[in-house]
Amino acid sequence: MINQRASTINVNQMRDMLSTSGLNIGVEVEELTKFARMYQTYESAQHEIATKLENLDAEFQMNYNHNPIHHLEGRMKDPQSLFGKLQRKNLPMTVDIIPDNIFDIAGIRVITNYIDDIYTVERLLVAQDDVTLLKRKDYVENPKPSGYRSLHLVVEIPVFRSTGVERVPVEIQIRTIGMDMWASLEHKLRYKTDAERADEFADNLIGYANELNQIEQNFQNIHREL
Ligand code: GTP
Ligand code: MG
């Protein structure tokens, strides 16, 4: 059910990627090995959360004959953009700095059927004893000026490894089908559009975001009545 957009990487691949990336980072082999271990832990955390979400969805279906989740997407931030982010934030290139500063290494996008489902998924997930909510930004309640809507959470969960337990953050974006459609298209358009025409499109895109939201409210109302 989960669409994975990137898969595990090993230390050798990572070293090759970084050496061809043009990023001039003096990362030692030892540090890189440590990084690969950490990266894999984050990937496990992503799988744990995906399983939790699938189980919640299945239980909800059994209880209420409704699936809140349309589908899940998982993505791991690739090491190159992770190291790029450390550079941008003027942080040292060390593995130890990562857990307290970068929260989106492991990411899950939850696409829900209806607007209410966004908050159902959040409530059920955060209620679990081993899930700790670290950050929350509600761009559904307060859309971004661009028109972007989504509920962003960072949660922390324990991952059990051969060496013991580690607490790992996972970034979760929860949005409806309509919000996801808007965000995907807007994202693609943004790369294709030159600066001059961008402003012209921006107004339209805000309008489309509102229209999609209106349509989804209408669908929600029908669904509530059933
Ligand atoms: P960084 O994660 O460090 O960039 O900062 P942040 O955590 O403050 O970011 P924010 O809460 O704005 O969420 C960032 C993510 O949300 C991006 O990686 C996108 O996936 C998504 N996002 C935020 N704003 C927009 C937008 O206007 N359009 C689209 N398509 N996606 C957006
Ligand atoms: Mg982010």
Side-chain angles (χ1 to χ4, degrees):
M1 185 177 162
I2 180 157
N3 304 328
Q4 286 290 351
R5 281 194 280 152
S7 61
T8 316
I9 251 165
N10 67 35
V11 178
N12 291 333
Q13 281 174 325
M14 204 176 288
R15 197 181 301 129
D16 290 348
M17 246 169 95
L18 289 170
S19 66
T20 56
S21 72
L23 284 176
N24 181 23
I25 53 170
V27 183
E28 306 282 334
V29 172
E30 243 172 69
E31 194 69 5
L32 209 53
T33 307
K34 203 166 149 193
F35 176 74
R37 290 216 173 89
M38 191 201 71
Y39 194 83
Q40 201 272 321
T41 310
Y42 277 71
E43 200 164 31
S44 299
Q46 194 216 59
H47 294 159
E48 294 275 355
I49 294 280
T51 301
K52 282 175 177 295
L53 290 165
E54 283 171 353
N55 288 340
L56 286 173
D57 188 59
E59 188 195 345
F60 207 83
Q61 162 65 32
M62 186 193 65
N63 289 338
Y64 304 105
N65 194 27
H66 166 63
N67 288 103
I69 299 177
H70 182 267
H71 72 278
L72 299 172
E73 289 168 13
R75 77 111 187 78
M76 290 294 294
K77 196 179 203 68
D78 67 70
Q80 220 169 300
S81 58
L82 172 60
F83 286 109
K85 193 164 182 172
L86 288 179
Q87 279 190 331
R88 271 203 314 286
K89 292 190 160 201
N90 283 320
L91 291 166
M93 292 290 164
T94 63
V95 172
D96 294 338
I97 205 82
I98 293 173
D100 291 331
N101 291 281
I102 310 289
F103 300 98
D104 62 349
I105 297 176
I108 292 197
R109 196 168 282 159
V110 184
I111 317 302
T112 66
N113 284 305
Y114 297 97
I115 301 167
D116 286 355
D117 294 332
I118 294 173
Y119 298 103
T120 302
V121 169
E122 177 194 25
R123 181 169 49 78
L124 296 175
L125 182 68
V126 171
Q128 300 192 358
D129 280 350
D130 55 348
V131 176
T132 310
L133 182 66
L134 295 183
K135 285 168 186 261
R136 181 182 195 272
K137 287 189 221 161
D138 190 347
Y139 301 124
V140 177
E141 195 63 40
N142 306 297
K144 288 205 167 191
S146 61
Y148 177 77
R149 284 174 170 80
S150 205
L151 177 65
H152 289 190
L153 308 176
V154 176
V155 301
E156 195 181 64
I157 56 153
V159 172
F160 295 89
R161 315 210 80 212
S162 59
T163 46
V165 62
E166 282 174 43
R167 302 201 60 90
V168 183
V170 177
E171 186 185 79
I172 309 177
Q173 299 179 345
I174 315 177
R175 51 169 84 144
T176 59
I177 298 169
M179 295 171 193
D180 188 55
M181 174 196 159
W182 184 93
S184 312
L185 295 182
E186 188 260 1
H187 183 76
K188 279 181 196 153
L189 289 176
R190 196 142 30 99
Y191 284 106
K192 287 189 182 169
T193 313
D194 51 72
E196 263 174 46
R197 300 200 67 193
D199 284 350
E200 177 192 328
F201 289 148
D203 281 347
N204 291 340
L205 288 170
I206 294 168
Y208 300 155
N210 292 332
E211 284 177 51
L212 280 166
N213 183 243
Q214 191 54 59
I215 292 167
E216 291 201 303
Q217 302 263 8
N218 295 341
F219 272 102
Q220 175 84 74
N221 291 339
I222 296 175
H223 183 252
R224 271 188 202 149
E225 274 178 40
L226 295 180

